[in-house]
């Protein structure tokens, strides 16, 4: 490994330093003496050993060597300042420790020794003496890494106590001898001198654990094997290296003094916790060079700012050459370098400014949603960032919100628009005050410097335009009394010319009149009623009646407005009872409530007054009216009133005397719920259904059977058999009620007539005519002989007239009453009518 040759301080400098120290008056005490075993020759800048300075004087801030050939570092390491040759076996010097604050001084004596001994051989017949309480002790031994020799390099001499009386031979084993790295060490057999054969790298081998042996010439072990550790003393042969070749940091330009920018870090392979690995950081060079804006902490590598005047707009990037040096930064320490790139991030420290203080623009009146002006600004901050993008505000002059201003994202210009039409007749020009800021807030320094935002004045000239009439306000209101006479004239909608402020020379037309109630005078705009106005005819009633009017000037230009007509209500409508038919269930319901409404305004309406109108004494006896509230009354009946429908005339009158009378139909019914009476009432009105139609068809079939009977009578005459004259008539059913036919009817001549049901059943006999009696129908069925209806039914066989008669005809006994016929037909007719209703 390459090593840097450190500069050795001159002897004159050391002597001057000693003279300076001598000026002070110290109380000098001696500390423990230190002994180093060294080879006879020492090279310059080689470590001799290490002294524990803290044990002697912990607060020492000044360390001097009494011998200029040696120097002492802060950690107590003793180095040679120049090559040293030990001519004598011993050499000593003093290390001075001083505390300048307390004016205390202590000294440490350092003794350097180098010994050589002559050993004798033991006679073979002489016994080796061993002392049980003594044995040869391990001697601390070390060697400097990367030593330049000369090789073999003497390290130390191994001695055994037995060598005082006998000739002892020495040998060693272990790593560096018979283990890798082989043959690095050897020992002289006779003297015990230990040598190293080549340089050693501490970063590869930091200690060698050898075993030393002492034996006599005849191979007798004079002592037990001796552990002999050899420590490799570190040499500062490794340069410190930064963890990164290039560091990249960022710092805002608005940073305060002492803001941390980043941290650099370096490593050193030399022995930890020594001066060889005590690193110190510094900045070698800054680009741009002036001024110095950054500093680095010598021990931690933290880079900070030393000014608050970082300005990205001046310099946006700095390059630092970082230096790290071991030996705590002393000039003979090894150095490593790295590059640090510091980018200054933009802050909003530059306010946007207008290029001019005043601007002018023009726009035609009535124009809107048009761009009228672009306002450029200048901002030194970083383009296309929130610190650069402008925010424009209209500070004054836009109280009516005719204008808006936005920012063009590409050019950063303010774009002024007209969003609501301007009127030349109201304002020939408008003066706007425009302010500008940024999307991002300003830094604190800029905010303190700026009392107000940057501003500019914009004068907008409004150009006159020939425009039509103006309908303003858009809706105008008038009042007309309801039922006003046709032809009544009222002031109508008024438009005007905005330039002359006059309504002259304007014509009016009606665009929309929902009910066609009015006409408009073309010249004056007055309205004339063409029909009677009815407030109650409007929907909803309380809304305004809106008429759309068109105003036209001489050039044909026009505008439209709304004439909102409020129709004043008149009491032209009496109140009206809501109910027409009510059902009252006896005896559960004692009364029924009725109510009334009045379409007029409430001022012409309730409270209502209810009474029985033009009633007979009988009605007054049964019915009474009492008030419930302003719009309702209670109709009660006499408890002995019969169950039937009554027509009760009721008069209702409003507060101003308008009245009306209504006939209320009241169904007084024996029921538990009104729905039962309504169902019975519906069943009375029967509608022809399919069963009724079938009954009619059955009558037609019977008519054909009469004709067939006549034919049979002619045949019977030939056989001289009697035939009653009314037999044919007895086969006709004369009725004005609907009744279904049975499956089969047996005529007087014995033929079967089959109905739609095809059930195969029939009946024989004659039927009498239906007679109305007191509103109740009676249908008589006359049967021949003494046969009953049941006895005449067959099972599908043919019967003759004779077989059906069975004797003289007794008409009185063969009649069926209405109740019997009703019990037979009513279920079928009821079913048919229900189906007709549901259909």
């Amino acid at each position: 490994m390459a090593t840097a040759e450190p500069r050795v301080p001159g002897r004159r400098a050391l002597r001057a330093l000693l003279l300076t120290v001598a000026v002070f008056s110290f109380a000098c005490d001696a500390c423990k003496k230190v002994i180093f075993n060294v080879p006879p020759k020492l090279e310059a800048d080689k470590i001799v050993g290490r002294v524990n300075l803290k044990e002697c004087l912990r607060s020492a801030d000044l360390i001097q060597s009494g011998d200029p050939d040696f120097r002492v570092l802060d950690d107590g390491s003793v180095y040679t300042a120049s090559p040293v040759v030990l001519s004598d076996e011993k050499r000593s010097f003093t290390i001075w420790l001083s505390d300048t604050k307390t004016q205390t001084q202590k000294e440490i004596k350092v003794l350097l020794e180098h010994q050589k001994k002559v050993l004798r051989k033991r006679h073979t017949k002489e016994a080796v003496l061993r002392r049980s309480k003594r044995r040869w002790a391990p001697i601390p031994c070390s060697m400097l890494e990367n030593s330049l020799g000369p090789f073999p390099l003497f390290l130390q001499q191994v001695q055994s106590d037995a060598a005082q009386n006998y000739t002892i031979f020495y040998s060693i084993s272990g790593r560096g001898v018979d283990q890798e790295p082989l043959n690095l060490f050897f020992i002289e057999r006779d003297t015990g001198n230990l040598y190293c054969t080549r340089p050693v790298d501490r970063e590869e081998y930091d200690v060698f654990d050898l075993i030393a042996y002492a034996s006599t010439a005849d191979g007798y072990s004079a002592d037990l094997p001796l552990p002999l550790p050899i420590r490799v003393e570190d040499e500062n042969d490794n340069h410190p290296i930064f963890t990164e070749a290039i560091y990249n940091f960022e710092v805002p330009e608005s940073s305060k003094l002492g803001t941390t920018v980043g941290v650099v870090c370096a490593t050193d392979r030399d022995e930890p916790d020594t001066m060889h690995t005590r690193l110190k950081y510094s900045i070698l060079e800054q680009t741009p060079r002036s001024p110095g804006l950054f500093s680095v902490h010598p021990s931690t590598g933290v880079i900070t700012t030393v000014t608050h005047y970082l300005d990205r707009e001046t310099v946006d990037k700095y390059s630092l050459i970082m230096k790290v040096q071991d030996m705590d930064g002393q000039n003979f320490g090894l150095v490593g370098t790295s590059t640090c790139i510091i980018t200054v991030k933009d802050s909003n420290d530059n306010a946007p400014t207008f290029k001019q203080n005043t601007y002018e623009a023009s726009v035609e009146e009535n124009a809107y949603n048009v761009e009228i002006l672009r306002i450029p600004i200048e901002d030194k901050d970083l383009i296309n960032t929130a610190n650069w993008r402008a925010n424009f505000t209209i500070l004054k002059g836009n109280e009516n919100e005719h204008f808006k201003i936005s920012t063009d994202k590409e050019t950063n210009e303010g774009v002024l628009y007209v969003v609501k039409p301007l009127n030349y007749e109201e304002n020939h020009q408008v003066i706007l005050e425009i302010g500008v800021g940024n999307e991002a807030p300003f830094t604190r320094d800029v905010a303190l410097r700026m009392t107000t935002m940057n501003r500019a004045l914009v004068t907008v000239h409004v150009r006159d335009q020939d425009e039509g009439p103006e309908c303003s306000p858009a809706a105008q209101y008038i009042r007309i009394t309801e039922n006003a006479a046709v032809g009544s004239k009222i002031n109508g909608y008024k438009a005007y010319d905005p330039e002359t402020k006059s309504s002259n020379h304007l014509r009016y037309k009606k665009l929309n009149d929902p009910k066609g109630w009015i006409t408009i005078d073309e010249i004056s705009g007055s309205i004339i009623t063409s029909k009677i106005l009815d407030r109650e005819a409007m929907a909803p009633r309380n809304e305004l009646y809106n008429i759309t009017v068109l105003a036209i000037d001489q050039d044909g230009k026009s505008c439209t407005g709304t004439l909102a007509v409020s129709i004043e209500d008149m009491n032209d409508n009496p109140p009206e009872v809501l109910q027409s038919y009510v059902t009252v269930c006896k005896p559960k319901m004692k009364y029924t409530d009725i109510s009334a409404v009045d379409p007029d305004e409430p001022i012409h309406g309730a409270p209502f007054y209810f009474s029985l109108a033009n009633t007979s004494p009988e009605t007054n006896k049964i019915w009474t009216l009492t008030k419930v509230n302003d719009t309702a009354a209670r109709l009660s009946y006499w408890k002995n009133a019969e169950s039937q429908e009554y027509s009760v005339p009721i008069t209702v009158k409003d507060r101003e005397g308008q009245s009306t009378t209504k006939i209320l139909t009241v169904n007084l019914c024996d029921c538990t719920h009104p729905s039962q009476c309504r169902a019975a009432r519906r069943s009375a009105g029967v509608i022809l259904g399919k069963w009724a139609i079938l009954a009619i068809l059955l009558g037609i079939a019977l008519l054909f059977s009469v004709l067939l009977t006549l034919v049979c009578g002619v045949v019977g005459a030939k056989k001289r058999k009697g035939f009653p004259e009314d037999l044919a008539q007895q086969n006709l059913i004369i009725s004005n009620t609907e009744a279904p036919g049975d499956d089969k009817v047996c005529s007087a001549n014995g033929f079967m007539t089959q109905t739609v049901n095809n059930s195969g059943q029939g009946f024989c006999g004659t039927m009498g005519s239906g007679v109305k009696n007191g509103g109740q129908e009676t249908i008589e069925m006359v049967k021949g002989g003494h046969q009953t209806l049941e006895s005449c039914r067959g099972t599908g066989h043919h019967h003759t007239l004779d077989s059906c008669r069975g004797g003289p005809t007794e008409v009185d006994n063969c009649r069926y009453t209405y109740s019997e016929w009703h019990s037979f037909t009513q279920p079928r007719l009821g079913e048919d009518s229900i189906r007709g209703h549901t259909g």
Side-chain angles (χ1 to χ4, degrees), residues 366-369 400-403 418-422:
N366 300 321
Y368 63 97
N369 290 337
N400 295 323
E401 299 181 348
H402 288 284
F403 304 90
V418 174
V419 294
K420 187 189 292 186
L422 293 163

Side-chain angles (χ1 to χ4, degrees), residues 238-249:
N238 289 281
H239 291 256
I241 301 174
F242 281 98
T243 56
E244 296 183 26
I246 298 178
Y247 291 89
N248 287 283
F249 300 123

Side-chain angles (χ1 to χ4, degrees), residues 721-733:
K721 291 187 178 181
F723 194 91
E725 293 180 359
D726 63 346
L727 185 59
Q729 298 178 358
Q730 292 178 8
N731 285 278
L732 297 177
I733 298 177

Side-chain angles (χ1 to χ4, degrees), residues 279-402:
L279 307 180
K280 183 169 287 187
Y281 301 93
S282 60
I283 299 174
L284 280 181
E285 182 182 343
Q286 172 186 302
T287 305
R289 291 183 179 276
S290 59
L293 302 177
F294 306 96
S295 68
V296 62
H297 191 281
S299 300
T300 62
V302 177
I303 301 174
T304 56
T305 59
V306 295
T307 180
H308 56 272
Y309 293 112
L310 286 175
D311 188 3
R312 187 204 65 84
E313 289 72 38
T314 303
V315 179
D316 63 349
K317 189 171 292 185
Y318 292 90
S319 176
L320 304 180
I321 303 299
M322 304 301 300
K323 169 187 170 184
V324 61
Q325 190 171 21
D326 59 17
M327 303 300 292
D328 201 23
Q330 298 188 58
N331 55 1
F332 53 83
L334 301 180
V335 175
T337 60
S338 178
T339 301
C340 180
I341 305 298
I342 300 176
T343 301
V344 181
K345 293 194 301 182
D346 185 46
S347 297
N348 195 13
D349 58 344
N350 291 281
T353 57
F354 290 102
K355 292 184 177 181
Q356 300 174 208
N357 292 327
T358 60
Y359 297 88
E360 290 192 2
S362 63
V363 62
E364 287 190 353
E365 65 172 333
N366 300 321
Y368 63 97
N369 290 337
V370 292
E371 175 188 325
I372 62 172
L373 181 64
R374 283 183 170 261
I375 307 174
I377 56 102
E378 291 180 345
D379 196 317
K380 296 179 181 179
D381 290 316
L382 187 61
I383 294 176
N384 293 326
T385 64
N387 301 327
W388 174 80
R389 286 190 287 269
N391 267 346
F392 293 89
T393 306
I394 302 177
L395 301 175
K396 292 181 182 178
N398 195 31
E399 289 76 12
N400 295 323
E401 299 181 348
H402 288 284

